[in-house]
């Protein structure tokens, strides 16, 4: 499409306003229906038996006593799942071997993580279901387990999948190992690049497993009929993707399965994979009744998909004027119990914000006896950029440069190549840096008390495009309905209404946005990847434009003129020579029956000119040397948001992502005992930021429109989780002289780092 | 000359070369599969390194002239084409 | 369920007297959602750590997942469904919408109930007092800023008699 040049940019009527979201009243009155709110008179309650061992062979599994318990109507184990071929497929989350899909849903010969489902039952009440599960007899042969990615890579580590060898593109390594994926990018001449450097930093960093922390646990209800038709009500980020996964695991045609997405209580990437849906379907098929499953909070932590722990060894070279000359990256990401390829995304991210002419990047995905990892807001980027942004700050300190100036010097612009060879499209990195430099926060005097400091850091996410469908129906009174396949996690349906309204010359209130299901709208990929306002919005624009195009000949009929003389401009159909008064959509609609019948626009798109989004954070903090607690005194987030369709929800994404990043930086981690068991499986001890922990956050939106979207939209949702990790790390370093390269920088770790520092004769970076 | 950038992990098959070139007659467009077959003649194993069960390895994106092609090995290329293979981006 | 564990309770829920058949093992959360069909109150953790199940019980904010249903006999309960006055939204509900203080909305019912409890006691809270009072209600989507602003707006409305 043509470069962005929408005639109304800057003069939009609806885009940029803040209408109340159409689903808002139901959500503040408790009427909105989420997954667990589904009910039927004959509903059965499901319960899952999960492995208590991180790594064990299943020697015997006897469900007979459970089946015999009165009130139990179905029991399912892996024998009920069809055998899937050994076949690599593109899952929408990278490469996966589908033979692992069924094992993930129900363990066959081995339990590979604590929480791994072994069996499931359905009973008339939750207490009978729990009692039934306790009656299932399992004989485990406990095996050695490994939960750290670097230990799992070592020779002699216990192997999770004995026959699995590293797959590198098409080739397999000879020796079985836990390394399921290796990605390498190489450009220039690394040795020459480091030789040019005046200053080289060689550092190691470590982050721990964290969870997306959505407040609504996973839930699925299924009703299977004897003719094979299945309906699933699910808390999912994408009904079409859920349907595909259920169909793949159970080997069914897609047309036999209808997935209805309920309102969803948070996802952040964690509700893209399915866990419960196939179990609910199997139990419903065996019992002939609807079956509901809800994960407990402990199960959510232990058996859904957290974000991977990572180890990184980074070497960056700088000239004395701050120019980056070379970069060497080695990273290992936790994959969990089944192979995945998030590390390859990390490899794409790690050096991407900067021009690095000579680079070698090696990133590994490593199997561990922990739950298979899933996406979490800009997946793999926080772990990758944490270390790079720490080194950038160290370099700024050592070279005596303003940290924002150092980024401005090296920051990528349109046309710059990344280490993987691709070139950046139009991005707003430098504009965002400039806005941060000129912000009231940055211009104010930094905090100067003891153990206080200011620091800055950056983050970004590429964002995704993928597939979306939309229909725009013109009602008989000229109001409109917009149906999309995009689950609304954060207010996106309001943005769909806004974009349709802008296109049709209506108000947001005159457009009714609807989230469809797999039977009522064309294929739409997940609400994730910061793609919804971009790609689904694109489909909405195209569908609305098609509706207008279909109305042009109708107006021509009314005006008895050639259709070429009718144009839609400034919110109305206008005659090219001004021979007729303009007609709005509301005026044309009642005439549709007499001029040819109803009008609906439809569009299915796969837009590729995605715009990445950059953010720059500024934090003022104070460290309490006695307790190790970090108090945030002031925090500002500056982000390139493309075009803010609904500014309040854009601000909401910026603030929400930042607070998640703050939790990741300062407190959140999976604490595991010697058996690899997570011991903080609740929100008390897996402490996500509360209202009292979260600082007030100032937001500055920079708008660099994305040429690849009719309204200049860039995805915004994911980027802001990235910068807080390094921003707070940099601030702690500047406040105390200690670089804590080990996340989270929780009070005990800060205390220990400070104690170690005072024990040494000179302040040292750890 | 059409240029194919070789993924770093396959460069041991090309003697370390980061990219391979092939001259195509002006106006001729061939599929990426055909192009790789021709290049594999001089660099055995190169095509196999990108294939899985006869087709492009799932999860690899084809970039032609800095634009992602979704057609995989069916993508048509010509003498001016610059081709790369990269992992795709998704999100959470 | 066996009759040995069944019981009838009567409670005033959102101003109306409700008679419910419950199981002794039910929590108040289960009784509200499954027996009374009031699904507005949400389950988040079942261990009293997230506040999604917050209701008012005899004037106090409680995590209904930690209250046994049987304890609600003769109690006066307010859930999110009871905040609006017919079609007239409570100022908190209205201001939450205007300030975009919800994204996924799962924490919203609990937050509204807890915030109402605060404003009933303290009509003029500082931002810090609001954050402190709401620290038992986790929100993972918004980062809280817009929530605090909405509560302040609603407090202003209520002080003005709206």
């Amino acid at each position: 499409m043509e470069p962005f040049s929408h005639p109304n940019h800057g003069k939009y009527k609806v885009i940029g306003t803040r209408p109340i979201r159409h689903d808002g009243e139901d959500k503040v009155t408790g009427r909105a229906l989420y997954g667990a709110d589904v009910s039927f008179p004959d509903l059965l309650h499901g319960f899952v038996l999960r492995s208590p061992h991180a790594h064990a062979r299943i020697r015997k599994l006897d469900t007979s006593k459970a089946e015999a318990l009165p009130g139990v109507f179905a029991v399912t184990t892996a024998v009920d799942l069809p055998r899937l071929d050994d076949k690599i497929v593109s899952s929408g989350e990278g490469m996966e071997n589908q033979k692992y899909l069924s094992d993930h849903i129900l363990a066959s010969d081995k339990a590979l993580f604590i929480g791994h489902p072994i069996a499931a039952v359905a009973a008339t009440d939750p207490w009978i279901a729990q009692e039934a599960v306790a009656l299932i007899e399992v004989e485990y042969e406990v095996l050695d387990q490994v939960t750290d990615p670097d230990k799992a890579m070592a020779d002699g580590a216990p192997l999770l999948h004995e026959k699995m060898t590293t797959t590198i593109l098409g080739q397999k390594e000879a020796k079985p190992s836990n390394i399921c994926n290796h990605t390498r990018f190489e450009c220039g001449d690394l040795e020459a690049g480091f030789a040019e450097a005046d200053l080289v930093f060689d550092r190691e960093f470590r982050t721990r497993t964290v969870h997306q922390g959505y407040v609504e646990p996973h839930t699925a209800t299924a009703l299977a009929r004897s003719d094979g038709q299945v309906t699933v009500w699910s808390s999912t980020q994408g009904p079409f993707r859920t349907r595909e996964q259920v169909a793949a695991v159970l080997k069914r045609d897609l047309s036999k399965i209808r997935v209805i997405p309920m309102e969803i209580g948070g996802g952040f990437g964690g509700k893209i994979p399915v866990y419960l849906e196939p179990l609910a379907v199997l139990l419903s098929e065996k019992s002939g009744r609807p079956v509901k499953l809800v994960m407990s909070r402990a199960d959510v932590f232990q058996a859904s998909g957290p974000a991977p722990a990572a180890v990184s060894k980074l070497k960056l070279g700088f000239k004395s004027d701050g120019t980056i000359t070379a970069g060497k990256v080695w990273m290992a990401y936790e994959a969990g119990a089944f192979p995945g390829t998030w590390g390859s995304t990390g490899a794409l991210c790690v050096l991407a914000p900067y021009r690095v002419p000579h680079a070698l990047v090696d990133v590994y995905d490593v199997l561990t006896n922990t739950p298979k990892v899933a996406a979490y807001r800009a997946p793999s980027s926080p772990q990758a950029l944490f270390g790079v942004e720490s080194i950038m700050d160290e370099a700024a300190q050592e070279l005596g440069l303003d940290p924002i100036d150092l980024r401005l010097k090296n920051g990528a612009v349109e046309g710059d190549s990344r280490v993987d060879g691709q070139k950046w499209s139009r991005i707003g990195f430098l504009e965002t840096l400039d806005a941060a430099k000129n912000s009231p926060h940055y211009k104010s005097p930094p905090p100067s008390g003891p153990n206080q400091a200011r620091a800055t850091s950056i983050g970004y996410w590429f964002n995704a495009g993928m597939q979306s469908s939309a229909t725009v129906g013109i009602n008989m009174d000229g109001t409109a309905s917009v149906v999309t396949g995009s689950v609304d996690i954060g207010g996106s349906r309001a943005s769909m209404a806004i974009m349709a309204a802008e296109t049709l010359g209506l108000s947001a209130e005159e457009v009714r946005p609807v989230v469809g299901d797999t039977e009522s709208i064309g294929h739409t990929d997940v609400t994730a990847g910061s793609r919804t306002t971009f790609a689904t919005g694109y489909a909405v624009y195209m569908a609305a434009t098609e509706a207008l195009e279909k109305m042009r000949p109708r107006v021509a009929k009314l005006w008895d003129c050639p259709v070429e003389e009718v144009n839609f401009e400034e919110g109305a159909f206008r005659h090219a020579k001004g021979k007729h008064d303009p007609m709005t959509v509301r005026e044309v609609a009642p005439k549709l029956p007499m001029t040819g019948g109803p009008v609906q626009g439809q569009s299915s798109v796969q837009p590729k000119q995605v715009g990445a989004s950059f953010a720059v954070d500024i934090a003022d903090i104070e460290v309490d040397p006695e307790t190790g607690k970090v108090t945030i005194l002031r925090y500002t987030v500056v982000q390139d948001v493309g075009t803010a369709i609904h500014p309040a929800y854009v601000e909401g994404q910026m603030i929400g992502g930042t607070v998640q990043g703050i939790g990741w930086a300062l407190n959140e981690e999976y604490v595991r005992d010697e058996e690899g068991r997570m011991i903080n499986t609740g929100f008390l001890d897996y402490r996500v930021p509360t209202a009292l922990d979260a600082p007030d956050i100032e937001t500055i939106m920079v708008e660099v429109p994305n040429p690849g979207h009719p309204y200049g939209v860039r995805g915004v949702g994911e980027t802001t989780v990235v910068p807080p990790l390094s921003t707070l790390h940099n601030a702690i370093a500047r406040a105390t002289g200690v670089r804590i390269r080990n996340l989270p920088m929780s009070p005990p770790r800060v205390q220990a780092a400070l104690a170690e520092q005072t024990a040494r004769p000179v302040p040292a970076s750890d | 000359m059409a240029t194919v950038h070789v993924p770093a992990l396959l460069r041991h098959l090309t003697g370390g070369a980061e990219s391979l070139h092939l001259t195509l007659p002006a106006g001729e467009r061939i599929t990426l599969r055909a192009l790789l077959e021709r290049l594999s003649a001089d660099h055995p194993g190169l095509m196999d390194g990108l294939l899985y069960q006869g087709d492009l390895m799932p999860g690899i994106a084809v970039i032609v002239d800095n634009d992602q092609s979704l057609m995989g090995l069916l993508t048509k290329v010509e003498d001016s084409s610059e081709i790369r293979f990269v992992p795709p981006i998704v999100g959470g | 369920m066996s009759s040995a564990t069944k019981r009838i309770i009567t409670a005033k829920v959102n101003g109306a007297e409700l008679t419910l058949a419950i199981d002794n093992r039910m929590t108040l959360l289960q009784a509200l959602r499954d027996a009374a069909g009031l699904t507005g109150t949400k389950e988040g953790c079942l261990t009293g750590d997230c506040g999604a199940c917050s209701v008012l019980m005899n004037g106090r904010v409680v995590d209904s997942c930690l209250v046994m249903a049987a304890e609600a006999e003769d109690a006066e309960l307010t859930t999110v469904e009871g905040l609006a006055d017919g079609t007239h939204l409570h100022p908190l509900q209205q201001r939450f919408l205007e300030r975009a203080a919800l994204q996924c909305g799962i924490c919203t019912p609990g937050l509204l109930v807890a915030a109402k409890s605060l404003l009933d006691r303290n009509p003029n809270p500082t931002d810090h007092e609001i954050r402190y009072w709401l620290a038992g209600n986790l929100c993972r989507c918004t980062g809280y800023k817009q929530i605090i602003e909405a509560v302040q707006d609603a407090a202003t409305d209520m002080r003005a008699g709206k």
Side-chain angles (χ1 to χ4, degrees):
Chain A
M1 67 167 276
E2 285 103 42
F4 171 78
S5 56
H6 199 284
N8 285 350
H9 192 67
K11 308 180 273 165
Y12 292 125
K13 295 249 163 46
V14 193
I15 289 174
T17 63
R18 299 170 184 240
I20 292 190
R21 60 195 284 178
H22 303 67
D23 55 317
E25 177 154 333
D26 280 359
K27 287 185 169 153
V28 297
T29 55
R31 288 194 192 281
L33 294 176
Y34 292 77
D37 301 333
V38 172
S39 194
F40 297 93
D42 59 340
L43 182 74
L44 294 175
H45 299 266
F47 203 80
V48 179
L49 171 68
R50 297 179 180 278
S51 169
H53 303 293
H55 196 191
R57 208 169 294 282
I58 300 168
R59 287 286 174 212
K60 190 180 114 174
L61 178 58
D62 183 350
T63 60
S64 52
K65 293 200 177 99
E67 289 172 58
L69 186 69
V72 171
F73 278 76
V75 179
T76 184
T77 65
V79 301
D80 294 329
L81 290 173
R83 235 189 105 80
L84 296 183
D85 303 325
D86 185 339
K87 187 180 156 91
I88 295 178
V89 295
S90 188
S91 67
E93 302 227 284
M95 288 181 262
E96 297 192 343
N97 194 321
Q98 63 171 25
K99 77 172 180 204
Y100 296 121
L101 261 183
S102 14
D103 258 36
H104 195 186
I105 299 297
L106 280 169
S108 56
D109 58 334
K110 273 173 99 178
L112 291 166
F113 59 98
I114 294 175
H116 196 166
I118 309 292
V121 312
T124 47
D125 70 46
W127 302 283
I128 296 176
Q130 262 184 275
E131 203 184 320
V133 158
L135 291 174
I136 298 177
E137 291 171 347
V138 193
E139 206 177 284
Y140 295 103
E141 178 199 332
V142 178
L143 304 168
D144 287 336
Q145 45 91 3
V146 61
T147 52
D148 286 319
D150 39 358
K151 294 203 178 95
M153 287 175 91
D155 283 330
L159 292 178
L160 272 80
H161 301 281
E162 286 92 7
K163 297 205 185 79
M164 196 208 73
T165 61
T166 313
T167 301
I168 300 166
L169 302 173
Q171 296 186 312
K172 287 178 181 289
E173 297 281 286
K175 197 177 108 186
S177 82
N178 288 322
I179 302 172
C180 51
N181 190 43
H182 175 200
T183 307
R184 168 177 284 181
F185 297 124
E186 200 173 349
C187 67
D189 178 342
L190 197 67
E191 223 180 284
F194 279 120
E196 274 181 71
D198 298 312
L199 191 61
V200 174
F201 294 91
D202 199 338
R203 301 279 183 255
E204 186 170 320
F205 300 87
R206 191 174 282 269
T207 71
R208 276 171 183 67
T209 316
V210 294
H211 196 272
Q212 302 86 349
Y214 34 84
V215 174
E216 182 207 25
H218 294 260
T219 178
T221 301
L223 174 58
R225 300 158 186 83
S226 56
D227 66 358
Q229 307 279 347
V230 174
T231 306
V232 177
W233 295 263
S234 173
S235 173
T236 170
Q237 291 179 235
F240 290 89
R241 178 105 187 83
T242 293
R243 183 173 70 163
E244 277 161 32
Q245 291 178 78
V246 173
V249 166
L250 299 179
K251 271 194 170 168
R252 310 284 171 87
D253 283 341
L254 293 173
S255 57
K256 291 285 202 195
I257 302 170
R258 177 182 187 186
V259 176
I260 298 176
M262 305 302 289
E263 299 296 338
I264 175 176
F268 313 110
K271 289 186 179 165
I272 296 174
V274 299
Y275 302 100
L276 299 176
E277 287 79 354
L279 300 176
V281 173
L282 287 169
L283 290 169
S284 182
E285 281 176 346
K286 291 179 126 187
S287 64
R289 289 166 65 160
V291 177
K292 183 198 285 187
L293 285 145
V294 182
M295 267 200 205
S296 69
R297 181 50 56 181
D299 287 349
V300 173
F301 278 117
Q302 295 184 290
S304 67
V311 181
S312 58
K313 296 177 189 163
L314 305 174
K315 188 170 165 190
L316 283 180
F318 297 81
K319 289 206 181 113
S320 54
D321 70 352
T323 312
I324 298 172
T325 63
K328 181 166 189 258
V329 175
W330 181 99
M331 288 192 74
Y333 282 82
E334 169 191 15
F338 297 98
T341 54
W342 286 113
S344 60
T345 312
L348 284 168
C349 286
V350 63
L351 297 177
Y354 303 114
R355 273 184 300 279
V356 184
H358 309 283
L360 173 63
V361 175
D362 281 296
V363 181
Y364 300 86
D365 291 279
V366 185
L367 294 173
T368 49
N369 289 113
T370 57
K372 178 174 184 206
V373 299
Y376 174 19
R377 212 164 195 151
S380 81
S381 185
Q383 298 91 328
L385 288 196
F386 169 54
V388 168
E389 287 299 296
S390 166
I391 294 178
M392 290 296 281
D393 194 58
E394 258 202 279
Q397 280 183 303
E398 186 108 0
L399 296 171
L401 295 171
D402 174 280
I404 293 188
D405 284 343
L406 181 62
R407 271 71 168 202
L408 282 165
K409 190 171 208 44
N410 293 287
V413 296
E414 185 176 6
D416 281 338
S417 290
R418 304 194 287 263
V419 297
D420 57 278
Q422 290 182 89
K423 293 186 163 57
W424 280 110
S425 60
R426 179 72 175 99
I427 50 175
F429 188 18
L430 299 192
E431 289 87 339
T432 309
L433 287 163
D434 276 328
K437 199 165 176 202
N438 290 304
S439 65
H441 187 170
Y442 206 72
K443 286 177 133 159
S444 69
S448 51
N451 302 302
Q452 290 185 344
R454 169 174 301 165
T456 184
S457 185
I458 70 106
Y460 78 98
W461 183 243
F462 293 105
N463 298 331
M466 299 160 71
Q467 305 169 96
S468 283
S469 300
T471 60
V472 171
I474 306 297
N475 299 325
M476 288 290 129
D477 65 355
T479 58
S481 77
V482 179
V483 183
T484 73
S486 283
V487 169
D488 182 356
I489 307 185
S492 52
R493 89 192 83 183
S495 295
M496 300 306 146
I498 289 174
M499 285 184 279
E502 186 72 50
T503 313
L504 296 169
L506 298 172
S507 70
E509 291 74 22
E510 288 171 315
V511 177
R512 183 179 178 78
V514 173
V515 176
D517 63 59
T518 54
E519 276 180 7
S520 56
I521 188 65
H523 180 91
T524 301
D525 287 324
V526 292
T527 295
S530 309
R531 63 173 288 276
T532 309
T533 313
F534 170 71
T536 304
Y538 202 126
V540 167
Y541 170 82
M542 297 295 284
T545 303
E546 183 177 275
L548 290 173
E549 208 32 53
K550 286 180 176 174
M551 284 191 273
R552 275 179 72 216
R554 310 300 187 85
V555 177
K557 258 193 185 161
L558 294 171
W559 290 344
D560 193 22
C561 71
V563 68
E564 296 75 40
E565 289 177 9
V566 180
N567 292 305
F568 188 86
E569 267 158 25
E570 303 291 327
F573 292 97
R574 295 171 197 278
H575 190 262
K577 294 176 191 142
K579 283 187 187 160
H580 299 271
D581 288 334
M583 287 183 86
T584 62
V585 166
R586 294 212 66 170
E587 288 164 331
V588 174
K591 315 278 191 212
L592 290 177
M594 68 197 260
T595 55
V599 163
Q600 187 185 70
Q602 191 279 333
S603 178
S604 290
V605 299
Q606 195 174 38
K608 291 195 296 177
Q609 287 178 269
V610 180
S613 177
F614 282 79
V616 180
D617 286 12
I618 307 159
D620 292 352
I621 66 154
E622 179 174 319
V623 181
D624 182 335
E626 272 188 57
T627 62
K629 185 173 150 78
V630 174
T631 302
I632 297 174
L633 304 170
R634 187 173 180 185
Y635 206 104
T636 301
V637 180
V638 187
Q639 185 177 4
D640 170 17
V641 303
T643 302
I645 302 293
H646 192 311
Y649 288 104
V650 174
E651 284 160 359
Q653 291 297 319
M654 291 169 74
I655 300 168
T658 302
V659 172
Q660 283 185 314
I662 291 172
W664 194 332
L666 294 182
N667 205 58
E668 294 175 41
E669 64 176 307
Y670 273 44
V671 180
R672 295 193 169 108
D673 67 15
E674 322 71 49
E675 266 117 61
R677 183 182 330 273
M678 183 187 185
I679 56 177
N680 59 335
T681 57
F683 276 133
L684 182 64
D685 296 306
Y686 184 90
R687 167 76 175 269
V688 305
T690 66
L692 203 53
D693 300 316
D696 186 49
I697 294 177
E698 295 159 48
T699 56
I700 298 175
M701 293 189 286
V702 174
E703 286 186 303
V704 176
N706 170 20
H709 186 278
Y711 291 125
V713 169
R714 241 174 238 291
V716 302
E718 293 172 279
T719 296
T720 51
V721 75
V722 181
L725 279 60
S726 43
T727 305
L728 292 168
H729 160 96
N730 293 341
I732 292 171
R734 284 167 181 262
T736 64
V738 177
R739 286 209 172 258
I740 304 172
R741 299 192 178 89
N742 201 342
L743 288 186
M745 298 167 294
S746 50
R749 287 220 180 79
V750 174
Q751 269 184 325
L754 293 178
E756 204 185 305
Q757 177 199 42
T758 50
R760 297 190 199 185
V762 272
S765 14
D766 158 27
Chain B
M1 282 192 306
T3 304
V4 173
H5 293 277
V6 181
L9 288 167
L10 295 179
R11 288 179 199 167
H12 62 283
L13 298 170
T14 62
E18 185 274 340
S19 54
L20 299 175
H21 309 279
L22 193 73
T23 305
L24 294 172
E28 181 175 329
R29 302 186 82 220
I30 62 172
T31 64
L32 183 56
R33 181 188 288 276
L35 178 69
L36 289 172
E37 275 165 359
R38 292 194 205 180
L39 290 173
S40 287
D42 293 325
H43 305 281
L46 176 64
M47 185 122 172
D48 292 334
L50 292 162
L51 291 189
Y52 175 75
Q53 295 185 347
D55 213 329
L56 186 68
M57 171 70 87
I60 291 184
V62 173
I63 312 288
V64 180
D65 300 333
N66 214 45
D67 187 34
Q68 186 179 358
S69 161
L70 296 160
M71 296 273 289
L73 296 179
L74 291 174
T75 308
K76 282 284 176 66
V77 295
E78 53 196 352
D79 194 57
S80 60
S81 300
E82 187 179 359
I83 298 126
R84 268 180 218 288
F85 302 96
V86 285
I89 298 289
V90 280
Chain C
M1 62 192 164
S2 90
S3 56
T5 60
K6 250 200 282 204
R7 167 198 295 260
I8 304 289
I9 61 162
T10 304
K12 201 162 184 191
V13 182
N14 298 327
E17 196 140 284
L18 274 192
T19 302
L20 300 175
I22 60 153
D23 186 292
N24 278 336
R25 296 165 291 186
M26 271 187 178
T27 61
L28 176 57
L29 177 63
Q30 284 172 305
L32 287 169
R33 289 176 54 80
D34 300 334
L38 292 166
T39 57
T41 307
K42 303 302 179 193
E43 172 187 324
C45 69
L46 296 183
T47 52
D49 298 314
C50 75
C53 66
S54 301
V55 300
L56 298 181
M57 183 167 175
N58 298 327
R60 263 184 83 192
V61 183
V62 299
D63 285 321
S64 59
C65 69
L66 295 181
V67 178
M68 297 311 291
E71 291 181 73
E73 171 75 24
D74 287 335
E76 207 168 297
L77 300 166
T78 304
T79 70
V80 65
E81 290 94 340
L83 294 181
D85 177 14
T87 54
H88 194 75
L89 292 180
H90 189 281
L92 279 166
Q93 291 169 309
Q94 185 61 36
R95 292 303 194 169
F96 262 58
L97 291 175
E98 287 169 12
R99 283 285 190 172
L102 57 142
Q103 287 178 29
C104 80
I106 197 76
C107 69
T108 304
L111 262 167
L112 287 169
V113 163
K116 175 185 184 326
S117 163
L118 168 67
L119 296 184
D120 286 345
R121 281 166 176 62
N122 180 355
N124 197 359
T126 61
D127 280 1
H128 185 84
E129 283 170 331
I130 297 174
R131 286 180 179 275
Y132 185 89
W133 190 269
L134 297 180
N137 292 80
L138 296 181
C139 175
R140 195 55 161 166
C141 296
T142 67
Y144 304 102
K145 176 175 171 144
Q146 288 149 321
I147 292 172
I148 309 307
E149 289 169 349
V151 175
Q152 283 293 13
D153 287 351
T156 306
D157 290 341
M158 287 166 75
R159 288 195 303 273
K162 290 192 190 148

